[in-house]
Amino acid sequence: YSTCHWCHVMERESFEDPAVATLMNEHYINIKVDREERPDVDAIYMEACQILTGGGGWPLNCFLTPEGKPFYAGTYFPPRPAHNRPSWTDVLTYLADIWANKRETALDQAERLTGYIRKDAPPVIAPPDSAPEMASMPAVFERIKNQFDFASGGFGGAPKFPSSMAIRFLMEYAWYYKHAEALQHAFFSLEKMISGGIYDQLGGGFARYATDREWMVPHFEKMLYDNALLICALSDAYKMAAANSADDRFAILFEDAITETLDFVAREMTNPEGGFYAAQDADSEGVEGKFYVWDQSEIEAALGEKAETFNAFYGVEPGGNWEYANILFRNPDTQTLAQSHLLHRNFKPQRDALLAIRSKRIWPLLDTKILLDWNALMCSAYAQAYGALGKEAYKDAAIRNIDYILTHLRRPVNTPQSVLPLKHALNQDEAFLDDYAFFIAALLDVYEITFDIAYLKWAISYTELVEQAFFDPDQHSFYFTQTGQQDIIVRKKDFYDNATPSGNSVMAHNFQRLGMLYDRHDWRLRAEKMLETMQASITQFPLSFSNWALALLHQVHPAVEIAVVGDDALEKARAIQKTFLPNKIMAASTDSSSELPLLDGKVGNRQSWIYLCHNFSCQKPVVSLEEFFDMIEAGSV
């Protein structure tokens, strides 16, 4: 796992030692797998590790029979016994002896482990007897609220992860149920993250997680997917804050975080053709965080008379605020929050000066893998940021990334097909459920900022492919790998929304959206069946199923259908996009003859008509945006 600190440690300590390498080659066939290129392999053997040890993580070291069945697994092993762990050479020698002299023991354990792994079913509880009900959503919220960190934002204690999907749920729940506390905690959590060390105060972008509950000390790697999911959450948050003059400080904060983070992605995480790189490492020169931290004297030398106020604002201390160095964060003791966000803007010349100095340091490893699922997440982030802020560069980046994927990440096949299957990575032909699900979602997001029906046609084609290659009709869910893949011991399903949403939960969203756009009752029913299967799990453990919770919220509160037809349809649609309106399905066309069912029968002229339908009933079409927003305010949705 390229950005895993302890993977690099074990590599230096053991795998690069010639004596250890000799021992490994003498007794084993050694297979190195990148968990991001082969998440299907990682999922199987990580489960084996969790069963054997009660925990998991990376590095993952798994010992297999020649058939690929695991019989022993662990994470980090030191070069000499330490931390209540045997040394790596001790493990190698011990298991080689087991294989040579007690092979039946290893084979028996491998069979039992594989049997556990094969027991693949939706988690927690069987499906309920009835469709989702209104009462289930407050229960979901209360479960999430039980995990609120009211002092520092987010959920639970340290280590603390961004939990972007749960934050999006809180914002939508607040909108539907007029629940001020849900919105307050969502905004507060984002504010504390952006103000903390987990956010790169100079260059933009978020680290993977914070090691403390106050978001002060990050684990410094930056992952493409975290930043994509946070941009989506921030785009929604900006729309909500911008609509309320009392939330001006939040609007400033969220706008700057979107802009600075996408500046970071464009500057450091984008290849010349529009693909997005996977990650930046935490380490440089063998030291975690060295690239990002500062001595006070460095800042004073660079900023001169501005250094004193800068240092006070960003928490810089003479002896350092972390391991004798300084992590930059917005010190809450120096200013009110409203002043803080404006001061961050005012310090931009100083931040740019330090960023230029930092860029001359030895950089952390850049993982230049191009992964389809993570690219699609960032493509959606650009599209949603365009919806919020209207910057043309964001729309261009999203379109360019779709073109990149269709050019470089489709796999030629020998049999005639209506649509070419996708690749997970440039050097990995087999695409997984997440790749297809996230890409379909990105196509839908890009349609809603371009209204080019070609993106919907791609989405339809790949949805049909997913149904053919991944679907399990018995459990109303999708396998992670497609039919016919031969190089794994078991086909798994993934239901949990972890660092990224599960492919199954994203497909539920996709079926909801496409079902409304194309009037496909079978797809709407498929989403409903998937949610019925998962409803009890969502209600009991919503933080583990937070993207499912959003889909359930959308099932309980049917989509708002908006169609805009006429000469200035695209301009009016753009204005509507800037408003926070959850679970909206939107189509626009200058041509009333569009083949899209949502536009069927709807006419417009020089002044476009705006059609609003909700909960299986439609309002009288209106011409002006004022009339449309009056309908929204009047509770037509």
Side-chain angles (χ1 to χ4, degrees), residues 113-126:
L113 261 179
T114 303
Y116 278 116
I117 294 169
R118 288 186 192 279
K119 292 177 181 176
D120 199 16
V124 190
I125 299 173

Side-chain angles (χ1 to χ4, degrees), residues 423-465:
K423 300 165 63 172
H424 174 59
L426 295 177
N427 62 342
Q428 167 56 37
D429 277 354
E430 296 291 344
F432 308 110
L433 176 63
D434 289 7
D435 297 305
Y436 285 101
F438 297 0
F439 185 50
I440 292 164
L443 288 164
L444 294 174
D445 288 336
V446 173
Y447 168 74
E448 289 205 351
I449 63 170
T450 63
F451 301 106
D452 183 344
I453 202 166
Y455 296 111
L456 291 183
K457 291 179 177 179
W458 283 112
I460 290 282
S461 296
Y462 280 116
T463 300
E464 291 171 345
L465 188 153

Side-chain angles (χ1 to χ4, degrees), residues 333-619:
D333 296 333
T334 58
Q335 304 290 336
T336 67
L337 288 172
Q339 292 171 317
S340 172
H341 309 324
L342 288 171
L343 276 173
H344 178 73
R345 280 189 173 182
N346 293 339
F347 277 122
K348 188 175 189 308
Q350 291 74 38
R351 290 187 286 114
D352 287 347
L354 293 181
L355 185 63
I357 293 170
R358 192 178 80 179
S359 68
K360 297 176 183 177
R361 296 174 177 176
I362 296 174
W363 283 70
L365 169 74
L366 176 64
D367 183 351
T368 58
K369 285 196 305 294
I370 303 291
L371 303 172
L372 173 51
D373 50 350
W374 297 4
N375 267 252
L377 287 175
M378 185 54 73
C379 181
S380 286
Y382 267 109
Q384 292 180 37
Y386 172 77
L389 300 183
K391 294 188 177 183
E392 289 296 320
Y394 298 166
K395 181 168 76 170
D396 293 344
I399 293 170
R400 194 162 171 245
N401 187 249
I402 294 288
D403 293 342
Y404 179 89
I405 290 169
L406 291 173
T407 301
H408 296 283
L409 291 172
R410 283 192 293 165
R411 178 164 56 93
V413 292
N414 294 325
T415 56
Q417 293 186 216
S418 59
V419 60
L420 291 177
L422 299 172
K423 300 165 63 172
H424 174 59
L426 295 177
N427 62 342
Q428 167 56 37
D429 277 354
E430 296 291 344
F432 308 110
L433 176 63
D434 289 7
D435 297 305
Y436 285 101
F438 297 0
F439 185 50
I440 292 164
L443 288 164
L444 294 174
D445 288 336
V446 173
Y447 168 74
E448 289 205 351
I449 63 170
T450 63
F451 301 106
D452 183 344
I453 202 166
Y455 296 111
L456 291 183
K457 291 179 177 179
W458 283 112
I460 290 282
S461 296
Y462 280 116
T463 300
E464 291 171 345
L465 188 153
V466 168
E467 286 189 301
Q468 295 163 11
F470 293 87
F471 189 56
D472 177 3
D474 295 332
Q475 292 187 348
H476 301 290
S477 56
F478 293 86
Y479 289 103
F480 187 69
T481 54
Q482 56 190 299
T483 303
Q485 188 169 334
Q486 301 295 322
D487 61 349
I488 52 175
I489 61 171
V490 61
R491 286 182 85 192
K492 295 289 293 176
K493 295 197 191 103
D494 184 17
F495 296 96
Y496 288 90
D497 298 317
N498 292 310
T500 58
S502 75
N504 271 288
S505 70
V506 175
M507 283 308 302
H509 283 271
N510 292 341
F511 284 126
Q512 288 174 327
R513 296 170 74 181
L514 282 167
M516 296 301 291
L517 277 166
Y518 275 90
D519 194 22
R520 287 282 301 264
H521 176 72
D522 57 330
W523 282 352
R524 295 197 299 270
L525 182 61
R526 177 144 294 163
E528 183 177 331
K529 290 291 186 184
M530 293 175 75
L531 286 162
E532 285 178 8
T533 301
M534 294 298 299
Q535 184 180 350
S537 301
I538 297 164
T539 305
Q540 190 163 355
F541 301 108
L543 284 177
S544 297
F545 302 101
S546 46
N547 197 53
W548 282 107
L550 264 178
L552 185 63
L553 191 63
H554 294 172
Q555 193 72 22
V556 169
H557 299 275
V560 179
E561 303 165 60
I562 302 168
V564 190
V565 183
D567 290 356
D568 61 348
L570 302 186
E571 290 79 6
K572 286 181 177 176
R574 168 75 198 106
I576 293 170
Q577 284 171 335
K578 296 173 68 175
T579 302
F580 182 76
L581 193 58
N583 194 24
K584 73 176 183 297
I585 306 296
M586 192 168 179
S589 177
T590 57
D591 183 357
S592 59
S593 63
S594 171
E595 62 190 83
L596 191 63
L598 186 57
L599 296 172
D600 187 40
K602 297 177 173 67
V603 296
N605 50 34
R606 187 173 56 83
Q607 286 189 310
S608 300
W609 288 95
I610 306 171
Y611 298 79
L612 174 66
C613 300
H614 178 249
N615 205 17
F616 309 107
S617 65
C618 295
Q619 306 297 311

Side-chain angles (χ1 to χ4, degrees), residues 148-349:
F148 280 8
D149 181 344
F150 290 99
S152 300
F155 310 93
K160 187 171 280 185
F161 292 82
S163 301
S164 308
M165 291 169 277
I167 289 172
R168 292 192 83 176
F169 173 84
L170 291 179
M171 289 188 285
E172 294 204 12
Y173 181 85
W175 193 89
Y176 283 116
Y177 292 89
K178 313 305 177 191
H179 202 291
E181 186 180 21
L183 184 62
Q184 189 275 335
H185 194 74
F187 279 17
F188 179 61
S189 299
L190 290 170
E191 182 173 45
K192 295 297 281 188
M193 279 187 267
I194 297 166
S195 299
I198 192 175
Y199 183 71
D200 183 349
Q201 302 294 334
L202 298 184
F206 294 84
R208 175 71 192 95
Y209 64 90
T211 61
D212 62 329
R213 70 184 304 162
E214 291 80 19
W215 309 102
M216 163 67 181
V217 182
H219 191 37
F220 289 88
E221 78 268 34
K222 289 180 177 177
M223 312 301 296
L224 185 67
Y225 60 78
D226 281 316
N227 285 282
L229 293 169
L230 279 160
I231 288 295
C232 294
L234 286 164
S235 297
D236 282 350
Y238 172 78
K239 289 180 181 180
M240 296 187 84
N244 187 345
S245 59
D247 289 333
D248 277 353
R249 82 164 195 264
F250 286 121
I252 291 169
L253 175 72
F254 300 150
E255 180 181 2
D256 286 354
I258 293 168
T259 302
E260 291 168 6
T261 298
L262 289 180
D263 284 349
F264 149 70
V265 173
R267 184 179 65 243
E268 301 178 26
M269 300 293 287
T270 306
N271 76 8
E273 297 172 275
F276 302 121
Y277 298 134
Q280 284 185 352
D281 201 354
D283 298 8
S284 57
E285 301 180 74
V287 178
E288 182 181 357
K290 183 174 182 179
F291 182 76
Y292 295 99
V293 298
W294 295 84
D295 291 330
Q296 179 174 310
S297 59
E298 289 181 282
I299 296 174
E300 290 172 345
L303 302 185
E305 62 182 16
K306 291 284 188 179
E308 183 176 356
T309 54
F310 182 94
N311 287 342
F313 180 70
Y314 289 106
V316 176
E317 300 175 5
N321 57 34
W322 174 74
E323 295 189 0
Y324 308 107
N326 285 287
I327 298 169
L328 300 185
F329 70 102
R330 303 181 201 182
N331 187 351
D333 296 333
T334 58
Q335 304 290 336
T336 67
L337 288 172
Q339 292 171 317
S340 172
H341 309 324
L342 288 171
L343 276 173
H344 178 73
R345 280 189 173 182
N346 293 339
F347 277 122
K348 188 175 189 308

